[in-house]
Amino acid sequence: MKNHSMQTQFILLGLTDNPKLQVVIFLFLFFADILSVTGNLTIIILTLLDPHLKTPMYCFLQNFSFLELSFTTVCISRFLVSLVNKGRTISYRSCMTQLFLLYLFGVTEFYLLAAMSYDRYVAICKPLHYTTIMSNRVCYQLVLSSWGSGFLIIFPVIILVVKLEFCAPNVIDHFICDCSPILLMSCSETHFIELTYFFFAVVTLMVTLMLVVLSYGYNVQTICKFPSAQQKTKAFPTCSSHMIVVSISYGSCIFMYIKLSANDRVTLSKGIALLNMSVAPLLNPFIYTLRNQQVKHAFKEMVQKVLFASNHEKILKSMKEKNAFFLLAYFVCHSTRSQVILAISDRLGPPSMLLFLARNLILQTLINARNAKF
């Protein structure tokens, strides 16, 4: 007779029991995670701060980077911690939470990729109507629809999984709480859940993939009709970068999830899942930045501003330690009047501040008059 029980924790078997392989896997995942977090955070910061990256395309890219960042944090970061402390146990609530977030971020990403492909379709095939069709309102609606669709798709499956009963031993043959190994561990009847799981996987992957293929099919057809080689050169990098991301994301997930049997899905899914959760989020920022001139330009500007601010602060500190006269000379050449008043207020006092401001205003007036004359 099977031991039916309400489990309070599970044991994750991970990828391997070989200590040397565990070290290699840890180092690979650690550096991949660092690069992925750095790259996606950079894209998020650039799209938030740079005024030239406020178009719908970069709004989608910002959300896509946030999803990738969240996805790796939920899956890879916890696995790295378990490799360090040798702890394989995970509580039932943590497991269900990880399962929910894993599928929420993953499914939302596919709908967001479909929205991004529609944005590129409008930009390339209907450029004169782009600002009208892809307004900020439409952009936000598509982003919210992607998140809403992701939630509605995975919520029924999660509710069914939560109601399952589990048998001892409570061992999950994976390094994360994925649906397939959890179904194999259950004592309850899982046939209906497997069919529901399969149906939603087909709907999510096939429907969004069809929309993406149709959009980029029209894009390529339109680009080929461009009379100018310069226009083709400008349009192809954006489309090709999106297609690379789409190929990586869809190829791995179709291989993992579109199988009727949970047992078939578990057999080869661990290795593919590892690549999908570590390599894909790592490559995406580089794919978008290396092939996008606006993002590269915004990144260079940000780096220059950071370096200039650092050098500016060092020079200011050095000048303050020497003499107020040199401080004034430096600020006349490099700063605005408001910065001057704030920086020298402690050294010179109100009368000297007013005198300096008057001289600065007179000097600026003479320079403007001379420029206007010539």
Side-chain angles (χ1 to χ4, degrees):
M1 183 176 180
K2 292 183 178 180
N3 182 19
H4 295 246
S5 61
M6 179 63 188
Q7 299 291 348
T8 58
Q9 64 178 17
F10 299 115
I11 298 173
L12 296 171
L13 290 183
L15 291 171
T16 179
D17 291 326
N18 189 322
K20 294 182 179 180
L21 281 179
Q22 286 182 352
V23 172
V24 173
I25 291 170
F26 174 82
L27 292 175
F28 168 73
L29 291 179
F30 177 76
F31 288 110
D33 192 44
I34 292 294
L35 291 173
S36 174
V37 170
T38 304
N40 285 295
L41 272 179
T42 301
I43 290 179
I44 292 173
I45 293 170
L46 286 176
T47 52
L48 285 173
L49 298 181
D50 195 283
H52 301 99
L53 303 181
K54 297 298 182 183
T55 60
M57 185 181 84
Y58 296 107
C59 176
F60 291 129
L61 182 57
Q62 179 188 114
N63 280 270
F64 187 76
S65 295
F66 175 77
L67 284 170
E68 294 282 44
L69 187 63
S70 305
F71 194 71
T72 55
T73 302
V74 168
C75 303
I76 301 301
S77 299
R78 195 205 172 280
F79 181 52
L80 288 173
V81 173
S82 67
L83 286 175
V84 172
N85 60 22
K86 306 297 182 181
R88 294 187 175 187
T89 59
I90 182 171
S91 67
Y92 175 82
R93 290 184 178 180
S94 297
C95 185
M96 292 300 111
T97 301
Q98 187 184 55
L99 180 66
F100 171 77
L101 294 176
L102 169 69
Y103 282 97
L104 175 63
F105 297 140
V107 174
T108 302
E109 186 174 301
F110 289 112
Y111 284 99
L112 191 63
L113 284 172
M116 292 171 72
S117 67
Y118 175 71
D119 172 73
R120 291 299 85 203
Y121 162 76
V122 176
I124 293 172
C125 299
K126 299 182 180 181
L128 298 178
H129 304 284
Y130 179 77
T131 54
T132 304
I133 298 174
M134 286 302 300
S135 61
N136 288 333
R137 181 181 178 183
V138 173
C139 175
Y140 296 144
Q141 286 176 345
L142 288 173
V143 171
L144 290 175
S145 298
S146 300
W147 281 92
S149 300
F151 178 80
L152 293 176
I153 286 289
I154 61 102
F155 187 71
V157 177
I158 298 299
I159 291 298
L160 292 173
V161 172
V162 168
K163 293 181 179 180
L164 290 175
E165 292 182 348
F166 299 97
C167 305
N170 54 340
V171 178
I172 298 177
D173 187 15
H174 215 297
F175 64 92
I176 57 171
C177 285
D178 199 6
C179 191
S180 299
I182 291 177
L183 293 180
L184 291 176
M185 191 175 56
S186 174
C187 299
S188 306
E189 176 57 45
T190 61
H191 182 67
F192 176 72
I193 300 178
E194 289 186 20
L195 288 178
T196 306
Y197 180 86
F198 176 75
F199 172 76
F200 284 127
V202 170
V203 168
T204 298
L205 294 172
M206 293 293 101
V207 171
T208 56
L209 180 60
M210 182 179 66
L211 294 174
V212 170
V213 170
L214 284 174
S215 297
Y216 285 110
Y218 283 116
N219 290 347
V220 172
Q221 188 178 7
T222 304
I223 292 171
C224 291
K225 294 179 181 178
F226 285 168
S228 170
Q230 185 178 2
Q231 288 178 311
K232 294 179 181 180
T233 305
K234 185 178 179 181
F236 264 120
T238 303
C239 284
S240 59
S241 62
H242 284 215
M243 289 305 297
I244 293 171
V245 173
V246 166
S247 301
I248 294 172
S249 301
Y250 279 93
S252 57
C253 287
I254 288 174
F255 183 82
M256 283 192 297
Y257 294 115
I258 301 189
K259 294 180 181 179
L260 279 171
S261 171
N263 192 34
D264 291 338
R265 287 194 293 267
V266 171
T267 306
L268 295 174
S269 65
K270 287 197 289 185
I272 303 298
L274 182 67
L275 294 176
N276 185 50
M277 294 173 187
S278 59
V279 177
L282 166 65
L283 293 178
N284 291 340
F286 295 100
I287 291 170
Y288 281 109
T289 54
L290 292 177
R291 302 181 68 86
N292 190 301
Q293 294 299 326
Q294 282 184 295
V295 176
K296 286 195 288 186
H297 180 70
F299 179 73
K300 289 178 182 178
E301 281 192 347
M302 185 183 73
V303 172
Q304 288 172 356
K305 287 179 181 179
V306 171
L307 292 177
F308 176 78
S310 177
N311 292 334
H312 185 87
E313 188 176 346
K314 289 178 182 178
I315 294 172
L316 175 61
K317 185 178 180 181
S318 175
M319 290 296 186
K320 281 184 177 181
E321 292 174 354
K322 291 182 179 179
N323 194 295
F325 175 77
F326 295 105
L327 179 63
L328 293 179
Y330 170 74
F331 272 113
V332 168
C333 296
H334 296 283
S335 298
T336 62
R337 290 186 292 274
S338 59
Q339 288 175 319
V340 170
I341 295 171
L342 292 174
I344 67 174
S345 58
D346 293 335
R347 284 293 184 95
L348 302 180
S352 299
M353 281 168 49
L354 292 174
L355 179 61
F356 175 75
L357 181 58
R359 288 177 180 174
N360 195 17
L361 286 171
I362 294 170
L363 179 61
Q364 188 66 43
T365 303
L366 292 173
I367 292 172
N368 291 338
R370 183 184 178 188
N371 292 336
K373 182 178 179 180
F374 289 102

